[in-house]
Amino acid sequence: MCGIVGYIGKDNSLPILIEGLRKLEYRGYDSAGVAVHNGSDVIIKRKEGKVSALEDELRKEPLSGMTGIGHTRWATHGRPSEINAHPHRADDIVLVHNGIIENYLELKSELEAHGHTFSSETDTEVITRLVAEKLKAHPDLFSAVKSALKRVKGSYAIAVFRESDPSSLIAARKGSPLILGIGQGEQYIASDIPAILWRTREVKYLEDGDVALLTEKGITIYDENDKITERKTTIINWDPVMAEKGGYRHFMLKEIHEQPRALTDTLGPRIKEMGEEIYLEDLNLSPEKVRSIKKIFIVSCGTSWHAALVGKFLIEGLARVPVEVDIASEFRYRNPIIEKGDLVIAVSQSGETADTFAAVREAKQKGATTITVCNVVASSIARETDGVIYTHAGPEIGVASTKAFTTQMGALYLLALHLSAERSVLSSQDYARHITGLKHLPALVEETLQTEKLIEDIAREYSKFRDFLFLGRGINYPIALEGALKLKEISYIHAEGYPVGEMKHGPIALIDENMPVVVLAPSDDLYDKVLAGVEEVKARDGRVIAIVSEGDKDIVQRADHSIVIPKADKCLNPFLLSIPLQFLAYHVAVHLGTDVDQPRNLAKSVTVE
């Protein structure tokens, strides 16, 4: 949450900062600001609202200078306002910050005792003034920053420089992501790759405790023990155009339509043509290790948690290993019973989710083997775990996850089949059937995308309702949860997901002519159970929007609206059902006029606890 960008080099920094902030705005959009050294002074411009509001302000008073930092904010401490926007300044120190400083009140009291006066409600101003205070006893800014950070408890990613010495930038991180970009005679700081991908493909990921000194000539990184260290340079292979809208009205719509390609990139390279084997190149699980696993935990948050629930069905059904799925923010606080040799799988689009990262560390301390399903190469969680399955979905800019979700399910399906093969669970015929299904999945998703026009019409009719129920059964129940979440996230309509069989235990009391019910009813072994649920809804005058498999006759006759998807294997249905639910949420939100890509109060990556 929140976005940082910084630049030092030979070019005017302002256009670089602004473009970087635009590309980071999915991380926060309560306010934005920049600080640029114009050759003699630092000029700070901040504005409440989106980056566009800041741009309007800068058109009136343009800035120019070759060293600068910028920030787009998602409020934690202090309401959204210009006074709470970053960058913050104390004496000649200018700083931007992501994260949460847990002991900021204690530090604030100490600083006030030393004569500091605070103008904002933020914990960031506390760090800024702490650095300024430490500078009184240290010969240079780098030493002052390191000294100040030793007093800080919590998570942070910072970029900072001095008005009196714009020849260097300093970056540091702990528990909040920060990357450094390498150019020719210029260096970059950013929270995420899209901010600088249009300028450089060479990046270094800072580790927890790292403090980096950036000048035009290069980067020097010190680790948590104050020793100079080398961090691996990663070459980013995303095409910058992939992070643009490409003619679509919103990033979310573009990303929905990218799912056939994303699934192809996730699945294709992992399925060997000869022998139809699964190849997971970075998993780092030996056959002996796989065969010794007695229990699996999957930890994740939000949409990734729904993917994890689907993963539970896949792994238990195909590999016959018991699986517990935990919301990551609850996992470590329940003191989970983990034995040495258990496998803990973290699922995170960004690989930077604070709660998921903390859950991984808890698992490692208890002796578990850890792997992650992640979209971002060399992200914090991917580096922390023993192995990784990258989804290769490409950059996902829309806050409401779409292609990241389906590719996470795809990665978990691959893992389930890999575990099954190593444990000799499936017959060769069943194994081959699943492999064939995965090969055909992108084409089935492409076909399902053709439902959009019908769903757009349905969305227009149902956008006036303020409450929805989503019902699913078995492996499709998590998709009902995901459909409800998508509608809540971007249209601000209240929605709940339930198993079909659970409806009689309470939710049925809500059903009347004003309660649309979205029913997931593909042709599978639980179809008759879902059909009975539809009958119960219709008996109470509920409005049914049913998603059914091609060839369905019974539910189509009873539903108010039917959306037909291709008939597919049971394990593929979650992927196909997800597409109409994404379209439904998207087109309802568009009809209501909400901000689809940047819904209120939400950020793409939750990098604070």
Side-chain angles (χ1 to χ4, degrees):
M1 303 213 278
C2 302
I4 286 174
V5 63
Y7 174 81
I8 186 167
K10 57 186 179 299
D11 292 339
N12 181 14
S13 64
L14 184 63
I16 298 167
L17 299 179
I18 291 298
E19 184 63 19
L21 292 180
R22 282 200 206 103
K23 295 179 183 300
L24 288 176
E25 197 167 21
Y26 64 90
R27 296 179 63 91
Y29 31 85
D30 294 333
S31 58
V34 294
V36 173
H37 198 286
N38 65 7
S40 56
D41 305 300
V42 170
I43 307 298
I44 297 176
K45 292 292 183 182
R46 304 183 296 184
K47 196 72 176 175
E48 183 179 353
K50 295 191 174 185
V51 174
S52 58
L54 176 65
E55 288 183 87
D56 291 341
E57 189 72 16
L58 288 167
R59 288 190 191 97
K60 302 173 188 174
E61 299 180 55
L63 302 181
S64 179
M66 294 182 289
T67 300
I69 55 177
H71 189 271
T72 181
R73 182 172 185 249
W74 188 87
T76 54
H77 293 76
R79 61 187 173 83
S81 67
E82 186 172 328
I83 199 68
N84 288 330
H86 303 207
H88 285 277
R89 180 174 188 155
D91 299 332
D92 73 338
I93 304 300
V94 185
L95 183 146
V96 291
H97 159 242
N98 294 347
I100 292 178
I101 306 307
E102 296 171 1
N103 62 333
Y104 84 103
L105 289 175
E106 172 191 342
L107 294 172
K108 186 175 183 179
S109 296
E110 292 179 16
L111 291 165
E112 286 174 334
H114 284 86
H116 289 267
T117 301
F118 289 81
S119 59
S120 77
E121 305 166 281
T122 69
D123 53 347
T124 301
E125 188 181 0
V126 173
I127 307 178
T128 312
R129 294 192 175 278
L130 182 61
V131 172
E133 182 66 24
K134 292 293 183 181
L135 192 57
K136 296 175 183 177
H138 288 82
D140 54 62
L141 179 60
F142 190 77
S143 301
V145 169
K146 290 196 295 182
S147 177
L149 293 178
K150 288 176 182 177
R151 293 292 321 281
V152 170
K153 297 178 182 178
S155 62
Y156 57 79
I158 64 168
V160 56
F161 72 101
R162 292 183 74 178
E163 182 177 66
S164 57
D165 182 15
S167 64
S168 64
L169 283 175
I170 294 170
R173 72 151 283 179
K174 180 183 177 184
S176 196
L178 203 62
I179 62 173
L180 308 179
I182 304 166
Q184 295 295 320
E186 56 190 9
Q187 319 299 334
Y188 305 85
I189 303 170
S191 299
D192 205 353
I193 292 165
I196 58 174
L197 185 59
W198 62 291
R199 298 281 299 191
T200 180
R201 291 178 179 272
E202 296 183 39
V203 303
K204 292 180 182 287
Y205 290 83
L206 291 183
E207 301 282 355
D208 272 359
D210 283 355
V211 183
L213 177 67
L214 292 81
T215 68
E216 288 185 23
K217 296 180 179 179
I219 298 170
T220 306
I221 302 173
Y222 291 76
D223 65 17
E224 60 184 350
N225 298 314
D226 293 335
K227 295 184 182 297
I228 293 179
T229 186
E230 281 295 323
R231 298 299 180 206
K232 176 184 174 184
T233 299
T234 300
I235 307 300
I236 304 302
N237 59 13
W238 292 352
D239 184 336
V241 175
M242 293 173 69
E244 303 299 333
K245 290 182 184 176
Y248 289 93
R249 183 174 179 181
H250 297 95
F251 280 112
M252 181 180 177
L253 185 60
K254 172 178 177 275
E255 288 155 6
I256 291 172
H257 281 274
E258 285 178 336
Q259 285 172 108
R261 190 275 309 159
L263 284 164
T264 297
D265 290 348
T266 299
L267 301 172
R270 274 68 180 264
I271 300 174
K272 291 185 178 180
E273 290 300 323
M274 298 301 293
E276 295 192 322
E277 298 174 1
I278 299 295
Y279 176 62
L280 301 175
E281 64 277 16
D282 298 313
L283 190 60
N284 296 329
L285 282 180
S286 67
E288 296 76 20
K289 187 73 170 177
V290 171
R291 288 192 287 270
S292 69
I293 295 171
K294 292 184 173 59
K295 190 173 187 179
I296 295 174
F297 297 82
I298 311 181
V299 293
S300 47
C301 301
T303 285
S304 296
W305 181 64
H306 299 153
L309 290 170
V310 173
K312 172 185 171 71
F313 280 94
L314 292 168
I315 294 170
E316 288 189 342
L318 300 179
R320 305 309 296 161
V321 184
V323 178
E324 285 190 20
V325 179
D326 272 84
I327 294 173
S329 58
E330 297 292 326
F331 180 72
R332 62 188 172 126
Y333 294 111
R334 71 174 179 86
N335 192 20
I337 301 172
I338 299 174
E339 297 181 0
K340 189 173 182 179
D342 286 346
L343 177 63
V344 174
I345 305 168
V347 184
S348 170
Q349 187 281 138
S350 67
E352 304 292 348
T353 309
D355 289 315
T356 307
F357 189 56
V360 166
R361 288 194 160 172
E362 174 78 8
K364 292 185 73 172
Q365 288 173 3
K366 292 179 178 291
T369 299
T370 57
I371 62 174
T372 185
V373 173
C374 178
N375 189 33
V376 180
V377 174
S379 58
S380 296
I381 299 174
R383 298 197 307 273
E384 183 76 14
T385 52
D386 301 306
V388 61
I389 306 174
Y390 289 116
T391 56
H392 301 308
E396 187 177 69
I397 305 303
V399 167
S401 181
T402 52
K403 64 177 180 175
F405 173 63
T406 49
T407 55
Q408 285 170 347
M409 291 193 295
L412 290 166
Y413 198 162
L414 289 172
L415 178 62
L417 286 171
H418 175 73
L419 297 177
S420 173
E422 296 290 1
R423 296 167 71 91
S424 301
V425 175
L426 290 176
S427 68
S428 58
Q429 293 86 353
D430 284 341
Y431 186 84
R433 175 173 58 83
H434 285 284
I435 293 291
T436 300
L438 283 175
K439 288 180 178 179
H440 292 159
L441 179 58
L444 293 173
V445 171
E446 187 74 57
E447 185 178 344
T448 307
L449 290 172
Q450 304 309 308
T451 61
E452 182 179 7
K453 182 61 178 72
L454 169 63
I455 296 169
E456 184 177 1
D457 294 338
I458 294 171
R460 188 177 298 108
E461 178 179 343
Y462 282 85
S463 60
K464 64 184 179 182
F465 292 92
R466 304 312 303 162
D467 299 278
F468 277 71
L469 281 180
F470 288 72
L471 301 178
R473 187 111 197 201
I475 196 172
N476 301 318
Y477 160 57
I479 308 304
L481 293 175
E482 173 64 9
L485 178 61
K486 281 291 156 287
L487 192 65
K488 282 184 280 195
E489 283 181 315
I490 63 173
S491 71
Y492 318 143
I493 291 172
H494 174 253
E496 299 291 342
Y498 283 94
V500 173
E502 189 67 12
M503 184 176 59
K504 293 187 288 292
H505 297 274
I508 200 168
L510 298 171
I511 294 175
D512 60 18
E513 67 277 6
N514 296 312
M515 174 65 77
V517 182
V518 181
V519 181
L520 310 184
S523 298
D524 59 19
D525 56 332
L526 295 173
Y527 178 84
D528 290 340
K529 305 292 184 184
V530 178
L531 175 59
V534 171
E535 296 279 18
E536 291 167 353
V537 172
K538 294 304 297 179
R540 288 153 182 85
D541 298 323
R543 298 168 181 256
V544 172
I545 303 169
I547 305 176
V548 299
S549 297
E550 190 174 3
D552 183 282
K553 296 179 181 178
D554 294 327
I555 290 179
V556 166
Q557 292 177 355
R558 293 161 174 79
D560 296 89
H561 301 274
S562 296
I563 301 162
V564 179
I565 61 173
K567 193 168 186 177
D569 184 87
K570 176 179 179 178
C571 292
L572 299 179
N573 282 330
F575 298 88
L576 307 184
L577 292 167
S578 298
I579 307 303
L581 298 185
Q582 293 167 359
F583 278 141
L584 180 65
Y586 172 79
H587 284 291
V588 167
V590 168
H591 188 70
L592 292 175
T594 64
D595 193 334
V596 171
D597 285 333
Q598 297 171 356
R600 68 188 184 201
N601 302 332
L602 296 177
K604 183 66 178 174
S605 301
V606 182
T607 56
V608 295
E609 185 177 359

